[in-house]
């Protein structure tokens, strides 16, 4: 497959959808081609921040495909049996977003061209420049501003994830300590009961 990547980004998340599931870590803008077996699926996932713009385009020569996009909780976009699918939306939730391609043809393999961009890379600054009558320098500053906002949003999201993981770890550690203390108390109680039982038994047998 041909792969073109710009503005590398090292965030990735696990995806497990079907027997033909594939996972890649996307960059801010990525364009590639992928083969999808007859009647098969391939899925691609990426961690996105909240309120982040995502633009995705999928196209084939003649074979119809079905595209489904999911956020961490539900399906947010579905397009059935089209040779070209394009969508753009702003994420409502932070977390892993999964894009799945299903080959509707049960007889032949499909070559799907995928073009995905998110964050500042997803915006068409040429249209913004025409609409707002901006100079090239102003466009460059606008792009830098958008990149900084996106970076700040991602930092906040990673901090939130870190706090959530720390809270989960603390909760697990507290439960483990509680379970260990319970086992210690239970063992002492069982040992004391056994000693009391044996003492009563030996007394009944007049051993002691």
């Amino acid at each position: 497959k041909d792969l073109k990547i710009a503005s590398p980004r090292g965030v990735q998340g696990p995806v497990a959808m079907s027997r033909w599931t594939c996972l890649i870590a996307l960059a801010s803008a990525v364009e590639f081609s992928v083969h999808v077996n007859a009647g098969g699926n391939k899925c691609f996932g990426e961690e996105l921040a909240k309120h982040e713009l995502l633009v995705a385009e999928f196209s084939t020569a003649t074979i119809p495909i079905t595209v489904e996009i999911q956020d961490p909780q539900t399906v947010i976009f579905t397009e059935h049996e089209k040779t070209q699918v394009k969508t753009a939306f702003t994420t409502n939730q932070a977390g892993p977003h999964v894009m799945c391609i299903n080959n509707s043809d049960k007889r032949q393999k499909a070559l799907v061209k995928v073009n995905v961009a998110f964050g500042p890379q997803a915006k068409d600054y040429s249209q913004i420049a025409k609409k707002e009558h901006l100079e090239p320098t102003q466009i460059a500053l606008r792009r830098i501003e958008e990149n900084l906002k996106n970076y700040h949003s991602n930092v906040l999201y990673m901090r939130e994830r870190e706090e959530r993981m720390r809270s989960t770890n603390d909760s697990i550690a507290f439960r483990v300590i509680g379970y260990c203390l319970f086992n210690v108390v239970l063992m002492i109680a069982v040992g004391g009961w056994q000693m009391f039982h044996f003492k009563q038994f030996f007394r009944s047998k007049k051993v002691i």
Side-chain angles (χ1 to χ4, degrees):
K1 61 184 180 180
D2 300 321
L3 184 63
K4 300 177 182 178
I5 298 178
S7 303
R9 179 176 179 181
V11 183
Q12 56 183 334
V15 180
M17 295 293 293
S18 66
R19 67 190 184 98
W20 294 110
T21 296
C22 177
L23 174 68
I24 62 169
L26 296 177
S28 293
V30 60
E31 180 182 351
F32 61 95
S33 298
V34 61
H35 289 279
V36 183
N37 291 333
N41 294 327
K42 283 200 175 179
C43 297
F44 310 93
E46 172 67 354
E47 293 276 353
L48 297 177
K50 190 175 182 180
H51 302 314
E52 190 166 8
L53 178 62
L54 173 67
V55 177
E57 185 173 0
F58 309 85
S59 62
T60 65
T62 57
I63 300 174
I65 57 173
T66 295
V67 176
E68 182 178 275
I69 301 178
Q70 302 180 21
D71 67 9
Q73 292 188 350
T74 184
V75 176
I76 56 178
F77 174 81
T78 304
E79 190 74 51
H80 295 280
E81 298 186 355
K82 298 287 183 65
T83 57
Q84 186 168 4
V85 178
K86 186 174 182 179
T87 182
F89 60 89
T90 301
T91 57
N92 293 321
Q93 298 185 36
H97 286 65
V98 181
M99 292 164 280
C100 290
I101 307 168
N102 175 265
N103 183 358
S104 302
D105 195 312
K106 306 298 182 182
R107 295 172 297 178
Q108 56 182 329
K109 184 184 297 185
L111 176 63
V112 184
K113 293 183 179 180
V114 183
N115 193 332
V116 179
F118 48 83
Q121 296 293 335
K123 292 188 175 181
D124 189 349
Y125 286 94
S126 61
Q127 295 296 327
I128 295 175
K130 292 179 180 179
K131 183 177 180 180
E132 301 183 16
H133 307 288
L134 300 177
E135 298 293 331
T137 304
Q138 293 174 306
I139 287 295
L141 292 174
R142 178 74 65 86
R143 191 187 297 270
I144 292 172
E145 181 184 4
E146 292 291 340
N147 278 311
L148 290 174
K149 286 182 179 179
N150 187 60
Y151 175 76
H152 179 67
S153 177
N154 287 331
V155 168
L156 293 178
Y157 169 62
M158 296 302 294
R159 184 180 300 172
E160 180 183 348
R161 283 192 60 192
E162 182 183 358
E163 291 175 355
R164 194 161 57 240
M165 292 179 63
R166 186 184 298 115
S167 177
T168 302
N169 291 337
D170 291 343
S171 176
I172 293 174
F174 178 77
R175 292 179 183 179
V176 170
I177 292 172
Y179 178 74
C180 292
L181 291 176
F182 173 76
N183 282 339
V184 171
V185 172
L186 181 63
M187 291 175 63
I188 294 174
V190 171
W193 178 81
Q194 288 179 336
M195 291 182 64
F196 175 77
H197 176 74
F198 287 144
K199 189 174 182 181
Q200 293 296 106
F201 174 76
F202 290 141
R203 281 181 177 176
S204 65
K205 298 296 182 179
K206 297 183 179 180
V207 177
I208 58 175

